[in-house]
Amino acid sequence: MSANLLSAVWAKADWRPRLSMGDWESLLGQARQARLLARLACQHIDHGLLDDVPVGPRVHLEGGLRLAERQQHEVRWEVDRISRALCEIEGPVVLLKGAAYLMADMAAARGRLFADIDLLVPRAQIESVENALFAAGWISDERDAYNQRYYRQWMHEIPPLRHVHRDSFIDLHHTITPPTSRFNVDGAKLLRDAVPLTGYPGLYVLAPVDMVLHSAVHLFQEGEFGHGLRDLLDLRDLLNDFSRQASFWDALLDRAEVLGLQIPLFHALSQLRRQLDFQTPPRLQGRVEQLGPNLLSRALMAWMLDLALQPDHPSCHSRWTGLARWLLYVRSHALRMPVHLLIPHLLRKSWMRRFPPKP
């Protein structure tokens, strides 16, 4: 059984399952760990294969699909509540990632599961938006003064907000990368080009090029790769959707240079080719190569990402997977914070894990 069983579903256009029950067990386990179970069900439906799946595995696929449908219904409701809560806020309120894909009816929303709703607002409006959401029932559970300062001073978001009755979560951002990050992005540039969301006055989504770049930098800077294959599929779907626009690819490469996100975009396109057989337009291949770092960094990142982006499932693990993920985790922290801030922060977090405060 191949460790690449799940990614092969999307990498091979003519994929047809010829799986033993042991293979099905591994495939479903990989899909569950990658949060792609419902997406796998959608793939079978799209190719007219669901009825051919053995009864046992089909029950899991159909169950995953029902869960995703229920969550998407709940997210639409939460977005409506958010829209009402923020109706008097000046300036755009931008939906990010999964909620944006869903509300804009994009392919990347199919079969998607949700943990929270991400919003982007002008930094000057953070307090007003937080107060309006508080009045509507969303509160912060973060009580530690250091963590509050860490989020509000160094990060690109405030501590997560939880609704007191529905337990829905909102991550409220003022940009898409930490201000201390090597890839520091000016949130005002993103807000300036945001696109209104039809039917929801005051709500927006990012411009197509910014949506792709946000997905790329989120994947390669956050350091959490358990859902990495799902994020790669997001990128593939976004690029397929937006490639219908004649000038999209040139605009994407231009925008990466404006925002300083050439390296995350390079790694995204490289991994899409390596893992999902997605090809960039041949006429732009030379320009894409110019986005990347030096040859040694490219080779090292390719090796680490080939391992780390596999589902976190025993059938996908090699002797080097843990090391690759650890190195990428260290890299993500080094990118997000300078050393003089990073070392004290990590030491404090380590101390707090070792000696948690008494309740």
Side-chain angles (χ1 to χ4, degrees):
M1 200 281 298
S2 170
N4 296 318
L5 190 58
L6 183 61
S7 58
V9 174
W10 288 278
K12 299 178 181 179
D14 60 347
W15 182 83
R16 293 293 184 272
R18 297 181 181 87
L19 306 177
S20 68
M21 290 306 295
D23 289 341
W24 271 112
E25 182 178 355
S26 295
L27 177 60
L28 294 174
Q30 292 176 17
R32 202 179 300 279
Q33 287 299 109
R35 295 177 69 84
L36 285 171
L37 190 60
R39 183 68 183 271
L40 183 61
C42 291
Q43 182 76 355
H44 280 76
I45 291 171
D46 290 346
H47 289 80
L49 299 173
L50 189 60
D51 290 340
D52 298 331
V53 175
V55 173
R58 188 165 71 243
V59 167
H60 290 277
L61 293 176
E62 291 172 342
L65 197 58
R66 286 194 294 272
L67 175 60
E69 290 170 350
R70 187 184 74 193
Q71 284 199 359
Q72 293 191 4
H73 176 77
E74 292 169 352
V75 168
R76 291 182 186 278
W77 169 258
E78 293 296 336
V79 169
D80 180 76
R81 298 299 94 184
I82 291 168
S83 177
R84 291 171 184 267
L86 302 182
C87 63
E88 297 184 3
I89 293 295
E90 295 181 5
V93 175
V94 180
L95 295 172
L96 299 175
K97 291 190 67 68
Y101 307 156
L102 177 64
M103 301 307 294
D105 197 24
M106 301 179 68
R110 293 199 68 206
R112 191 180 184 89
L113 298 178
F114 294 83
D116 51 34
I117 294 174
D118 294 286
L119 303 178
L120 173 70
V121 300
R123 187 162 195 169
Q125 291 291 87
I126 284 280
E127 184 176 355
S128 298
V129 172
E130 186 178 7
N131 288 339
L133 291 171
F134 178 81
W138 279 280
I139 63 171
S140 173
D141 290 324
E142 182 57 73
R143 298 292 178 259
D144 184 84
Y146 173 84
N147 287 338
Q148 283 281 354
R149 186 170 71 254
Y150 167 76
Y151 273 101
R152 296 177 186 276
Q153 183 175 338
W154 295 332
M155 289 294 102
H156 52 304
E157 57 186 328
I158 67 171
L161 303 174
R162 176 183 62 84
H163 197 277
V164 292
H165 298 304
R166 301 191 297 272
D167 275 341
S168 61
F169 285 85
I170 291 174
D171 282 346
L172 183 58
H173 303 69
H174 56 83
T175 184
I176 59 173
T177 58
T180 57
S181 169
R182 174 183 172 185
F183 302 118
N184 180 19
V185 175
D186 182 358
K189 293 180 179 178
L190 305 175
L191 291 162
R192 205 158 39 234
D193 293 337
V195 180
L197 183 62
T198 303
Y200 292 87
L203 293 187
Y204 293 71
V205 296
L206 291 176
V209 290
D210 291 341
M211 205 176 280
V212 171
L213 291 171
H214 178 211
S215 186
V217 75
H218 175 82
L219 175 58
F220 295 110
Q221 185 177 258
E222 291 300 309
E224 299 291 338
F225 292 94
H227 308 145
L229 183 57
R230 184 198 68 175
D231 293 340
L232 270 186
L233 284 171
D234 285 351
L235 279 162
R236 191 201 67 166
D237 286 343
L238 294 175
L239 290 168
N240 281 335
D241 279 349
F242 299 143
S243 292
R244 299 186 184 99
Q245 304 170 14
S247 60
F248 169 76
W249 278 100
D250 293 288
L252 176 63
L253 299 182
D254 291 343
R255 187 63 162 175
E257 294 177 3
V258 169
L259 297 179
L261 297 179
Q262 301 98 315
I263 289 177
L265 179 60
F266 172 83
H267 291 314
L269 297 176
S270 175
Q271 285 300 308
L272 283 168
R273 183 186 73 251
R274 295 170 69 90
Q275 306 234 17
L276 298 178
D277 196 30
F278 179 91
Q279 304 296 325
T280 54
R283 68 178 181 84
L284 293 174
Q285 194 55 48
R287 191 175 172 191
V288 169
E289 288 297 316
Q290 293 175 4
L291 299 174
N294 62 61
L295 293 178
L296 179 59
S297 295
R298 295 183 192 198
L300 182 59
M301 281 295 291
W303 174 76
M304 291 188 294
L305 290 168
D306 283 349
L307 295 169
L309 290 174
Q310 295 300 313
D312 189 12
H313 187 267
S315 64
C316 298
H317 292 168
S318 78
R319 63 186 298 183
W320 302 111
T321 300
L323 174 62
R325 287 183 172 155
W326 181 80
L327 290 171
L328 287 167
Y329 177 78
V330 172
R331 173 185 179 272
S332 71
H333 277 80
L335 289 175
R336 295 170 71 184
M337 299 180 74
V339 173
H340 72 278
L341 295 177
L342 177 62
I343 291 177
H345 174 68
L346 292 180
L347 287 174
R348 186 184 189 283
K349 299 296 283 187
S350 178
W351 176 271
M352 294 301 290
R353 281 195 297 270
R354 175 77 172 168
F355 303 104
K358 295 180 180 179

